[in-house]
Amino acid sequence: MTYLRGLLLDGRRKSMQPMAGCLGVDHQGLQQFVTSSTWDTRAVRARLARRADPEATAAVLISSLTYFPLLRILIGHTPGDLDRETFLTAWAGHAARTLALPDE
């Protein structure tokens, strides 16, 4: 829960040390949580899917398509320097999982 609170804090940097400083906790503990946690993401995703508003989820996914071209414009590249096809393939897979669409 502490890590999630850190992600929701104001501030540009979301690395462990600045988050830990704002939260008043040890940064090594946060780092260990992120790198060593073994909880099953499927259970978390299923619980979120039951609570999610499908229309809002779809709107967020559609608006995320602007992410790729905006990064190219603002900083000249994308994370991992993905090409457009790789980005769109990854986005489509993520969208399908998020919306719980059946595999084709």
Side-chain angles (χ1 to χ4, degrees), residues 48-90:
L48 287 173
R50 286 192 302 271
R51 294 182 175 202
D53 176 352
E55 290 179 11
T57 301
V60 169
L61 284 167
I62 290 168
S63 67
S64 71
L65 281 172
T66 63
Y67 180 70
F68 184 84
L70 280 177
L71 283 177
R72 287 261 186 229
I73 292 167
L74 294 174
I75 62 173
H77 65 90
T78 60
D81 288 323
L82 296 176
D83 60 82
R84 183 176 176 78
E85 235 6 79
T86 303
F87 172 81
L88 290 174
T89 300

Side-chain angles (χ1 to χ4, degrees), residues 35-63:
T35 59
S36 302
S37 292
T38 57
W39 48 278
D40 185 5
T41 59
R42 292 174 295 188
V44 174
R45 287 182 182 271
R47 189 171 177 191
L48 287 173
R50 286 192 302 271
R51 294 182 175 202
D53 176 352
E55 290 179 11
T57 301
V60 169
L61 284 167
I62 290 168
S63 67

